[in-house]
Amino acid sequence: MNPAEVVSFWRAAGRRQWFNGGPAFDAECRARFEALHFAASRRECDDWIEGAEGALALCLLLDQIPRNVFRHSGHAFATDGLALQQARQALDAGLDQQVEAELRAFFYLPFEHSEVLADQQRSLALFEDLGIEHYRRYAEAHLEVIARFGRFPHRNRALGRLNTPEEQAWLDAGGGF
C-alpha cells in the first residue's frame, strides 16, 4: 500500500466517518490498515515524510487509525508520541500547507491529542489559523481539559490510570468532547 491509498480512503470516508464512524468503519480501518499501522509504528514508512501526501498518511496511520482499530484500549493512544513527532516534522517542512484545509487538520490533531499543555496551546493556534470553526472549538475544549487535569480523564480506564475524585465528577457530569 502507498500513501495515496491511505489518503484517498480517508478523504472518501469524510468527516462523518472520521469522527463518528462506528463499528463498521472501525472494522474497515482494521481490515485495510492494521498491518500498515504496525509497519508505520515500527518506523518502516518513515521515508513517506518527504512529501505532503506521505506525511499526511503517516499522521493518519499513527494518530487516527489506531483510534478506530483499537477503540477503548490503551493501544488507541500508543503511537501518539510518534504521530506528534511526524506532525512536527511535517509542519517544520511546510507540508501541511500543501493539502486542502479539511485534511490539513490531521497534521494538527496529534497536538490536540497530546497531554502536554504546550502542545495543546500549539494545537489551538494551528486550528485558529486553519479557520474551520468546529476544529477550533474542539481544540479549545481539549486545551481546557489539559489545563484543568493535566491529562484526559476519559483515557484513564484504557491506560490503567485511576481517576481523581475531580476527574470522576467531571466524567459523571458528562465530561468529554
Side-chain angles (χ1 to χ4, degrees):
M1 189 169 295
N2 62 49
E5 292 173 277
V6 176
V7 173
S8 177
F9 167 82
W10 202 255
R11 182 181 286 117
R15 189 182 327 155
R16 201 171 349 186
Q17 295 279 15
W18 298 337
F19 302 112
N20 299 301
F25 185 64
D26 289 354
E28 187 173 8
C29 288
R30 183 175 302 105
R32 287 178 177 247
F33 302 114
E34 183 175 28
L36 192 56
H37 159 75
F38 283 118
S41 71
R42 290 188 304 266
R43 314 293 302 265
E44 294 170 10
C45 304
D46 279 5
D47 60 324
W48 290 8
I49 197 72
E50 299 302 318
E53 190 169 56
L56 177 57
L58 281 171
C59 288
L60 292 169
L61 287 168
L62 295 167
D63 184 71
Q64 293 298 303
I65 294 299
R67 284 171 163 72
N68 293 97
V69 173
F70 305 107
R71 191 177 300 279
H72 306 299
S73 79
H75 192 85
F77 316 110
T79 54
D80 280 7
L82 187 52
L84 186 58
Q85 177 185 335
Q86 298 288 7
R88 280 191 178 109
Q89 191 173 343
L91 268 61
D92 288 347
L95 299 175
D96 60 314
Q97 299 301 310
Q98 297 176 32
V99 301
E100 64 264 32
E102 192 72 32
L103 290 178
R104 192 176 310 150
F106 294 99
F107 285 111
Y108 306 159
L109 284 171
F111 294 91
E112 183 176 291
H113 292 152
S114 171
E115 291 184 321
V116 174
L117 186 59
D119 293 333
Q120 289 296 321
Q121 292 164 335
R122 186 165 186 197
S123 166
L124 182 57
L126 289 165
F127 282 116
E128 284 175 341
D129 288 346
L130 184 63
I132 300 176
E133 181 61 22
H134 65 273
Y135 285 127
R136 188 205 55 77
R137 283 194 316 268
Y138 278 104
E140 193 170 71
H142 282 74
L143 172 62
E144 289 172 7
V145 171
I146 294 301
R148 180 174 176 186
F149 299 112
R151 63 188 187 174
F152 293 118
H154 64 277
R155 294 182 186 176
N156 287 349
R157 172 178 255 159
L159 295 175
R161 303 186 302 206
L162 297 176
N163 291 329
T164 67
E166 185 182 11
E167 289 172 335
Q168 190 60 56
W170 180 78
L171 290 167
D172 291 345
F177 310 105

